[in-house]
Amino acid sequence: MTEPAHRGRPTAVKIIIAGGFGAGKTTLVGAISEIPPVTTEALMTTASMAHDDASLVPDKGSTTVAMDFGRITLYQDLVLYLFGTPGQKRFWFMWDELCRGAIGAVVIADTRRLADCFGAIDFFENRRLPYVIAVNNFEGAPRYHLEDIREALAIHRSVPMLDADVRSRASAKEILVTVTEHALALRTGVRR
């Protein structure tokens, strides 16, 4: 009688979810996490409104002030720990600590405010952390071809870009599979 093959412990990896204020980071973590997500949402106050341009997200009543955290078992032997960053510049001092040990990142792009992506893109490129761009298609927002967005953001062709609806579990899973495969391909030197 042969013993069943022993499976090792699942590999755990860290993925960063970044993007501008109100781009959908908390929503993505909440849509895919298999555990109740941990969020650090705080109510928007008059003081924060002086710093955060909420004109394009008028229904936004709260904002992340530290991080979001979630977990998803992507494959039987691969668990992703998701860390959502705060989008406002005044909280960027936390990004180095949040990114420590990460294998890759997702930059969520909002076509109403594409310029909000530049800070995250520069951050990940300067640290050589593999990333993908997920264009979150908000209702009523302008729609562009991905190649036009790539050109506007000056993103190299090797960086994966995909259309997304971060409210959708299926879309969130596609984003996470893409960033994981991209990061692993770069680590092993295998191009997709």
Side-chain angles (χ1 to χ4, degrees):
M1 179 175 186
T2 57
E3 292 185 27
H6 175 66
R7 292 196 184 271
R9 289 187 0 196
T11 300
V13 297
K14 184 178 189 179
I15 302 290
I16 303 299
I17 313 296
F21 172 69
K25 300 172 296 293
T26 300
T27 302
L28 184 143
V29 172
I32 194 71
S33 182
E34 63 195 12
I35 62 171
V38 176
T39 63
T40 57
E41 290 283 299
L43 291 175
M44 304 255 315
T45 64
T46 305
S48 68
M49 293 301 236
H51 297 282
D52 305 323
D53 179 8
S55 63
L56 293 171
V57 285
D59 296 333
K60 188 159 179 62
S62 63
T63 187
T64 301
V65 295
M67 68 172 195
D68 299 315
F69 174 78
R71 182 189 77 209
I72 181 69
T73 303
L74 196 56
Y75 302 110
Q76 187 175 16
D77 59 347
L78 181 62
V79 177
L80 304 184
Y81 289 95
L82 311 175
F83 289 80
T85 64
Q88 301 93 319
K89 288 180 183 177
R90 67 180 185 274
F91 296 122
W92 284 4
F93 68 92
M94 293 184 272
W95 282 35
D96 277 321
E97 287 302 316
L98 284 175
C99 291
R100 192 176 315 267
I103 67 155
V106 175
V107 177
I108 300 177
D110 178 349
T111 59
R112 301 170 298 183
R113 298 168 292 145
L114 276 180
D116 288 356
C117 295
F118 287 123
I121 291 168
D122 287 346
F123 182 89
F124 298 132
E125 286 182 351
N126 288 334
R127 284 153 185 83
R128 297 179 184 213
L129 185 64
Y131 68 94
V132 302
I133 303 289
V135 179
N136 192 14
N137 292 307
F138 286 91
E139 291 179 30
R143 302 252 177 170
Y144 302 100
H145 293 288
L146 290 180
E147 290 310 309
D148 293 337
I149 294 172
R150 181 182 300 283
E151 186 176 327
L153 294 175
I155 300 297
H156 191 271
R157 292 206 161 287
S158 64
V159 175
M161 292 186 77
L162 56 158
D163 282 312
D165 178 349
V166 299
R167 301 169 299 179
S168 159
R169 184 173 178 82
S171 185
K173 183 176 181 181
E174 180 184 9
I175 293 165
L176 295 175
V177 168
T178 301
V179 69
T180 302
E181 289 177 346
H182 177 61
L184 294 175
L186 290 177
R187 282 181 174 241
T188 61
V190 176
R191 294 281 180 208
R192 295 177 2 148

